[in-house]
Amino acid sequence: AQSVSQHNHHVILSEAASLELGCNYSYGGTVNLFWYVQYPGQHLQLLLKYFSGDPLVKGIKGFEAEFIKSKFSFNLRKPSVQWSDTAEYFCAVMASGTYKYIFGTGTRLKVLA
Amino acid sequence: GAVVSQHPSWVICKSGTSVKIECRSLDFQATTMFWYRQFPKQSLMLMATSNEGSKATYEQGVEKDKFLINHASLTLSTLTVTSAHPEDSSFYICSASSEFNEQFFGPGTRLTVL
C-alpha cells in the first residue's frame, strides 16, 4: 500500500534559521508530489507541486522542494524562516492517474521571534 | 481561479440528527470531488471519492450509510452525516479536481455533535 512519511512531527526554529522538512513515500510508479501549509484556523494552501521536469521546484513564500526519485523523497526547504511561517505542513503524494492524495502525518512548525 | 467553498463553516447539532455539508467549485467544473476528515492535530484522512453522476467510492472503514455523499453536478457535492454522534465531531474538508491532476481544497467545516 502507498504511504507517506513525514519524520519530523514537531520542529521549533528561531527566525532566520534554515528549514528542511522530510517527506518520503512508498510507491513504485509515477507520482505527483505536493506540499501544503495549514496556518492556524485556516484551510490548506498549496505551497508547491511537482509533476515532471526539473526536480527542484520553487513555490510560494520562498519555499522550495527537491524530488529525489532514487530516494523516494520530496523534502521541503526554506533558507530563512519567519515567525509567520508557524503552521502545519503536509506532504501529499498522488499516484499518477489516480486523483487520490495520500497525505503525510504533518509537521508542526513553530518559529520563535 | 480554482476556488472551492464549503458551507457551513461550522455547525453544532444534537446527537441523532443529520447534518448536510455542501462543497462547491466556484470557478471550474470538478469531475471529481473528495471528502476528508481531519482530527485535531492529525493529518487528513480520505473518506470518499465522488464523480459527478455516479456513486461515491468509500475508503475502507468509512460507513457509507452514515456518510452519504451526493455529487449531483460538476460544481456541487454534499456530505450528509446521518444520525450524528459525538464521535463524529471533526473537521470535514472537501476538495475538487478537474483534469489537471491537482486537488483544490475547501476551507473545511467544523462539526460538533453534542
Side-chain angles (χ1 to χ4, degrees):
Chain A
Q2 300 169 38
S3 66
V4 180
S5 298
Q6 290 182 243
H7 306 294
N8 316 102
H9 298 295
H10 291 90
V11 174
I12 301 175
L13 295 172
S14 298
E15 274 196 316
S18 64
L19 170 72
E20 180 159 4
L21 301 182
C23 173
N24 288 88
Y25 65 93
S26 63
Y27 181 71
T30 303
V31 293
N32 298 328
L33 300 158
F34 307 83
W35 273 99
Y36 286 87
V37 61
Q38 188 175 32
Y39 297 102
Q42 297 189 28
H43 65 284
L44 285 171
Q45 298 176 38
L46 179 68
L47 276 177
L48 47 79
K49 60 188 177 187
Y50 173 81
F51 285 1
S52 64
D54 189 344
L56 183 61
V57 180
K58 295 198 182 296
I60 61 171
K61 306 187 181 190
F63 287 91
E64 65 177 31
E66 184 175 13
F67 172 47
I68 303 179
K69 189 174 181 180
S70 60
K71 294 184 178 180
F72 299 91
S73 70
F74 189 56
N75 292 354
L76 180 71
R77 300 193 292 248
K78 185 171 183 178
S80 177
V81 294
Q82 300 173 318
W83 177 81
S84 57
D85 293 324
T86 294
E88 187 148 20
Y89 294 80
F90 293 96
C91 177
V93 174
M94 180 175 72
S96 187
T98 68
Y99 294 94
K100 281 175 63 171
Y101 281 20
I102 305 295
F103 277 92
T105 51
T107 296
R108 194 170 292 271
L109 171 67
K110 182 167 185 172
V111 180
L112 305 175
Chain B
V3 178
V4 176
S5 70
Q6 277 185 247
H7 178 79
S9 55
W10 59 271
V11 57
I12 301 173
C13 70
K14 292 182 179 180
S15 185
T17 61
S18 294
V19 174
K20 181 185 283 188
I21 302 169
E22 290 187 350
C23 175
R24 293 182 185 271
S25 58
L26 298 184
D27 51 2
F28 69 103
Q29 294 189 323
T31 51
T32 308
M33 286 186 165
F34 304 84
W35 287 95
Y36 294 84
R37 186 171 177 176
Q38 185 180 27
F39 290 102
K41 300 183 181 181
Q42 295 188 30
S43 187
L44 282 77
M45 300 299 296
L46 180 64
M47 298 174 66
T49 304
S50 72
N51 292 294
E52 184 261 341
S54 51
K55 289 184 179 180
T57 302
Y58 291 82
E59 295 299 301
Q60 193 172 8
V62 177
E63 298 176 61
K64 58 181 68 176
D65 293 332
K66 178 167 205 42
F67 298 101
L68 300 179
I69 291 171
N70 183 278
H71 193 162
S73 76
L74 286 172
T75 59
L76 173 64
S77 176
T78 60
L79 168 68
T80 301
V81 183
T82 62
S83 187
H85 290 284
E87 58 266 29
D88 299 324
S89 297
S90 191
F91 196 54
Y92 292 88
I93 301 171
C94 76
S95 70
S97 178
S98 62
E99 67 273 20
F100 301 112
N101 277 351
E102 180 180 343
Q103 294 180 29
F104 300 95
F105 289 84
T109 296
R110 186 162 302 283
L111 170 64
T112 301
V113 184
L114 303 176

